[in-house]
Amino acid sequence: MSIKKLLTVLSLSITLVACVSQVSKLNSDKLNTDVRSANGVKLIPTKNSDASEFLNFAESYANLPIDMQKQELANTNQALALNPNDLLHRMKLVMIYGLPSSSLLDTPKAQNLLQQILQENILVNTQLAYAHVLFDYLIAVNKVNKGNKDDQKRADMLQQKNEALQQKLESAQQKLDELKNIEKSMGERDPAPHK
């Protein structure tokens, strides 16, 4: 699967999640907003128990210049230093490292961060759907990148073998030329046949 296809699938999935979030929002207002992780630590839920804040951040972050993206990373890390359980900022960090428009792209790191969130089972409604779509995207990108690295290693190895064979060929050609020169000089030394 090419990166363009993956990006198309991600875009369509995000659009689907946004549509579903509007329907889920009506139901989410009725749910208890206290969310606890598996270890019992109370987590601060996002204002809405849907993925709209994640989607809004993804859209605004994609349009930021590089220096503003770096500033957003610094702000997010600062907020997480004050409250490491803040779900919105944890998801922002995942998106900073995982969105294709990010200048700070580090998909393995994003995958690990998102996997931790998913394992804590703290996402609700469309947040979970969005997280799963993003997680699938990160896995696919990491698989493609690993395949590209493996292909590059094979190409480098073939290039090295090709260079070694080229050197052997040049050496053999040089020896052949030397033998031809020796044969030629020996032919010039031979006395002419007597009549």
Side-chain angles (χ1 to χ4, degrees):
M1 211 179 199
S2 71
I3 295 292
K4 287 183 181 180
K5 288 181 182 177
L6 290 173
L7 292 176
T8 302
V9 169
L10 180 62
S11 297
L12 290 173
S13 299
I14 289 173
T15 303
L16 177 63
V17 170
C19 292
V20 172
S21 72
Q22 294 303 318
V23 173
S24 299
K25 185 174 183 193
L26 297 173
N27 294 332
S28 69
D29 291 338
K30 298 175 186 176
L31 296 175
N32 183 0
T33 57
D34 264 2
V35 179
R36 295 188 181 273
S37 68
N39 61 8
V41 174
K42 183 177 178 183
L43 300 172
I44 297 173
T46 57
K47 293 173 190 165
N48 299 321
S49 293
D50 63 23
S52 63
E53 287 186 84
F54 302 160
L55 295 169
N56 290 338
F57 175 78
E59 182 180 10
S60 65
Y61 183 80
N63 297 320
L64 293 176
I66 292 172
D67 58 329
M68 294 300 291
Q69 287 185 357
K70 290 178 181 177
Q71 183 61 45
E72 187 63 44
L73 173 63
N75 294 343
T76 301
N77 281 329
Q78 185 177 15
L80 286 171
L82 296 173
N83 184 1
N85 296 321
D86 186 330
L87 179 59
L88 178 59
H89 283 92
R90 290 176 71 190
M91 282 300 293
K92 281 183 178 183
L93 193 60
V94 169
M95 291 183 281
I96 287 170
Y97 290 127
L99 293 174
S101 58
S102 178
S103 62
L104 305 165
L105 190 64
D106 186 345
T107 54
K109 183 182 272 189
Q111 182 181 338
N112 289 337
L113 292 169
L114 186 52
Q115 187 169 3
Q116 289 172 2
I117 292 170
L118 288 170
Q119 287 173 344
E120 291 174 14
N121 200 23
I122 56 176
L123 297 171
V124 293
N125 298 327
T126 55
Q127 292 176 342
L128 187 59
Y130 174 77
H132 280 293
V133 169
L134 184 56
F135 190 73
D136 290 344
Y137 163 76
L138 293 170
I139 288 173
V141 168
N142 288 335
K143 186 183 276 188
V144 167
N145 288 342
K146 184 181 183 313
N148 288 345
K149 286 179 185 175
D150 291 345
D151 289 346
Q152 186 61 46
K153 284 180 185 176
R154 281 192 291 275
D156 290 345
M157 192 167 60
L158 288 173
Q159 180 65 28
Q160 289 174 352
K161 285 182 179 180
N162 186 31
E163 289 172 0
L165 287 172
Q166 185 65 33
Q167 287 176 352
K168 285 181 181 179
L169 179 63
E170 289 172 1
S171 176
Q173 183 64 45
Q174 185 179 3
K175 288 179 182 177
L176 183 61
D177 290 344
E178 288 172 1
L179 287 173
K180 284 181 182 178
N181 288 338
I182 290 172
E183 182 182 11
K184 184 178 176 183
S185 66
M186 287 179 71
E188 291 173 356
R189 286 190 206 169
D190 283 344
H194 297 288
K195 291 184 181 179

